[in-house]
Amino acid sequence: MENGAVNQQIPVDTTSATITIKGILSLLLQNVDENDNKRLISLGMGDPTAYSCFHTTQVAQEAVVDAIQSDKFNGYAPTVGLPQTRRAIAEYLSRDLPYKLTSDDVFVTSGCTQAIDVALAMLTRPGANILLPRPGFPIYELCSAFRHLEVRHFDLLQENAWEVDLDAVEALADHNTVAMVIINPGNPCGNVYSYQHLEKIAETAKKLRFLVIADEVYGHLAIGGKPFVPMGVFGSTVPVLTLGSLSKRWIVPGWRLGWFVTSDPCGMFRKPKVVERIKKYFDILGGPATFIQAAVPRIIEQTEEVFFKKTIYLLKQSSDICCERINEIPCITCPNKPEGSMAVMVKLDLSLLEDITDDIEFCFKLAKEESVIFLPGTAVGLKNWLRVTFAADPNSIEEALRRTKCFYQRHARKL
Ligand SMILES: *Cc1c(COP(=O)(O)O)cnc(C)c1O
């Protein structure tokens, strides 16, 4: 291998299908020089609670405290979730749909992560394959590997604002394709899909006879001009499995409250056998703590618009600063301004660097020399790009990118 020396020093097996974001970030963290007195700044992980400006609303905190103190929620909840929680989530999601979801469409999960697992567990069968976006969110690959579900990747087209390459989808699909996944607003790309693009996705899926898994964990976190449109809007065209959670919009990823929802007005998922199968699977899962579930109706009903607006304002402000500063550093560019979510893909120009061969080496050296952490694009399926999380306070972003600029100057190719 030509860069064997680098691989010895950087213990990342990029050939593995089961590379995880957490795994690669923990290796980067180990590489930070502890004797250095620079403060560690991580723009690698999408956990906004690391920065105090991103804080959940008091309404949510009070709802949880009251649920605990009521002494009514110390027991087991039904495995599919408390009825009032399912109802509240159905009503919340129905606000943006041309039809009404019912409680029976909603299954409460331990975060969106468990909703992903449920979706793939329900769909897998011998010989089945699933279409996943590249770049994407590696939990889908990892989960598919455990389920023996064959993965086929379609590209997101950077020059088309990271839209789905629908021609590739058509070329990849066959009669064993069970679903395609879209993540909107997008992680890692920060894109938001238009109504028209989602409609095309729905029509493609209908034609090819598979369903759409819509990861809307960043639902409503749209910071550009485009509004967020849920995929469920096209539920009459094609059955949609909507996955989401409180984690991102309410800034409480540790509460582990998510949902798996059948946005399917035609009722394909209401066949008794299908419902029975989903329910049985939930019997082995164990969802979020009962008192967190009990707090959900109040969290959804009473969170004020000003809380959401503030989050959008903060994300917009930090993403603007992030892109501006990145574009001031010659070796990295931000070709697509983020329109939503909390992350953006940044392109690395290796021809401007003297002694760095790829995104992984860039991130490891940057961690070591500057105590700044970005996620190598390889971890999300796009080599020689970086994923930068902008859910951080502006000062940290400024400081991280000031250090990255120094790093560039030290490693710039000498003319
Ligand atoms: C954060 C994230 C998840 C996981 O959400 P949790 O509610 O924390 O489990 C799923 N999908 C994407 C795209 C995410 O960014």
Side-chain angles (χ1 to χ4, degrees):
M1 222 181 199
E2 54 184 10
N3 53 357
V6 171
N7 282 347
Q8 259 168 19
Q9 179 191 343
I10 300 170
V12 180
D13 176 10
T14 55
T15 58
S16 165
T18 53
I19 197 167
T20 66
I21 292 179
K22 288 193 176 91
I24 212 163
L25 288 176
S26 75
L27 290 172
L28 281 169
L29 214 54
Q30 286 167 22
N31 214 43
V32 167
D33 188 350
E34 279 169 26
N35 301 322
D36 203 323
N37 50 21
K38 286 192 201 95
R39 169 175 75 101
L40 172 71
I41 305 178
S42 176
L43 303 180
M45 185 82 165
D47 187 348
T49 61
Y51 297 91
S52 59
C53 62
F54 290 96
H55 194 271
T56 194
T57 162
Q58 205 178 336
V59 169
Q61 293 176 317
E62 285 170 4
V64 173
V65 169
D66 287 353
I68 294 177
Q69 289 183 342
S70 75
D71 225 21
K72 285 193 279 194
F73 302 105
N74 299 325
Y76 290 113
T79 54
V80 292
L82 286 176
Q84 62 268 43
T85 310
R86 301 175 80 192
R87 196 178 323 119
I89 295 166
E91 281 167 15
Y92 168 64
L93 297 174
S94 295
R95 290 178 201 166
D96 304 306
L97 297 175
Y99 54 91
K100 291 267 171 273
L101 296 166
T102 72
S103 310
D104 290 339
D105 292 313
V106 177
F107 299 83
V108 182
T109 59
S110 180
C112 185
T113 306
Q114 194 177 56
I116 295 171
D117 177 62
V118 172
L120 301 198
M122 290 302 104
L123 293 173
T124 193
R125 53 174 164 72
N129 67 73
I130 188 165
L131 310 185
L132 300 182
R134 180 176 50 214
F137 188 65
I139 294 280
Y140 286 92
E141 278 80 358
L142 188 58
C143 205
S144 301
F146 275 107
R147 299 284 169 201
H148 303 290
L149 191 54
E150 184 199 334
V151 168
R152 300 182 181 177
H153 287 107
F154 58 87
D155 286 326
L156 302 183
L157 303 172
Q158 182 268 313
E159 57 288 0
N160 284 1
W162 300 108
E163 285 190 349
V164 173
D165 181 351
L166 289 169
D167 293 335
V169 167
E170 294 221 17
L172 289 167
D174 61 20
H175 62 280
N176 278 322
T177 304
V178 290
M180 72 181 284
V181 171
I182 61 158
I183 302 172
N184 181 50
N187 178 13
C189 299
N191 55 288
V192 171
Y193 289 144
S194 67
Y195 181 96
Q196 290 75 13
H197 187 57
L198 294 170
E199 189 172 39
K200 279 189 200 150
I201 291 172
E203 274 157 14
T204 304
K206 178 187 178 160
K207 179 171 132 194
L208 301 169
R209 304 173 70 84
F210 52 68
L211 49 96
V212 177
I213 298 173
D215 183 329
E216 294 175 356
V217 75
Y218 292 101
H220 295 279
L221 291 176
I223 58 175
K226 276 191 217 152
F228 162 65
V229 178
M231 189 70 210
V233 165
F234 303 98
S236 322
T237 306
V238 69
V240 175
L241 295 175
T242 301
L243 317 180
S245 73
L246 295 184
S247 303
K248 310 285 162 72
R249 195 178 189 206
W250 270 273
I251 322 179
V252 289
W255 290 10
R256 310 311 303 134
L257 190 298
W259 48 82
F260 166 91
V261 177
T262 54
S263 307
D264 169 34
C266 299
M268 195 188 119
F269 283 95
R270 247 171 274 140
K271 290 183 194 148
K273 272 197 175 155
V274 178
V275 175
E276 202 49 37
R277 193 166 129 79
I278 298 176
K279 284 191 170 156
K280 279 213 178 108
Y281 191 62
F282 273 87
D283 282 346
I284 58 174
L285 286 183
T290 309
F291 64 86
I292 299 281
Q293 297 194 37
V296 169
R298 213 171 121 193
I299 293 174
I300 286 178
E301 280 151 32
Q302 295 185 10
T303 299
E304 293 185 20
E305 207 48 45
V306 28
F307 166 71
F308 298 133
K309 287 209 169 116
K310 184 181 161 206
T311 307
I312 299 287
Y313 172 82
L314 290 172
L315 286 174
K316 172 83 182 124
Q317 185 189 34
S318 55
S319 77
D320 283 347
I321 292 169
C322 189
C323 291
E324 264 169 48
R325 294 295 172 264
I326 283 171
N327 289 337
E328 288 167 6
I329 304 171
C331 66
I332 51 178
T333 48
C334 204
N336 308 77
K337 235 177 138 109
E339 304 173 308
S341 90
M342 299 179 173
V344 63
M345 289 299 283
V346 172
K347 192 172 186 174
L348 190 56
D349 183 352
L350 292 165
S351 73
L352 297 176
L353 295 163
E354 182 73 51
D355 56 349
I356 291 173
T357 55
D358 62 17
D359 56 327
I360 297 186
E361 194 179 11
F362 182 92
C363 290
F364 272 84
K365 286 190 168 163
L366 183 68
K368 187 163 189 66
E369 294 173 28
E370 299 290 347
S371 301
V372 169
I373 294 186
F374 299 142
L375 186 74
T378 296
V380 292
L382 212 53
K383 196 173 160 67
N384 297 336
W385 287 68
L386 311 169
R387 186 191 74 171
V388 178
T389 303
F390 54 77
D393 67 84
N395 286 336
S396 298
I397 294 175
E398 296 264 12
E399 173 65 15
L401 291 165
R402 196 187 56 71
R403 290 189 212 161
T404 307
K405 193 170 193 174
C406 296
F407 177 84
Y408 161 73
Q409 285 159 351
R410 271 200 315 282
H411 293 273
R413 177 152 287 171
K414 314 287 178 293
L415 294 172

